[in-house]
Amino acid sequence: MAERTAHPDAEKLAEEVKRAIGGRLPSAEATALDNVLDLYVATIKNLAERLHALEHRVGQG
């Protein structure tokens, strides 16, 4: 099975965006950006976990 990097890559991308753009925004917008990026990372992590579970179930069947 190929190595999965979606979740770590999403975290890296989110941190890069926060550093590059977050400091240039007013406080409320920076907070909103942080929230959206955190949701993005959580979604990618959730999808990766669900894919792993599905692959595990298929492998047992």
Side-chain angles (χ1 to χ4, degrees), residues 16-27:
E16 288 177 21
V17 170
K18 287 178 185 181
R19 281 193 306 272
I21 299 173
R24 298 179 182 162
L25 296 174
S27 180

Side-chain angles (χ1 to χ4, degrees), residues 3 10 12 16 18 20 24-26 29-31 41-42 47-48 53 58-59:
E3 180 181 343
K12 289 178 192 174
E16 288 177 21
K18 287 178 185 181
R24 298 179 182 162
L25 296 174
E29 285 83 354
T31 299
V41 171
L47 289 172
V58 168

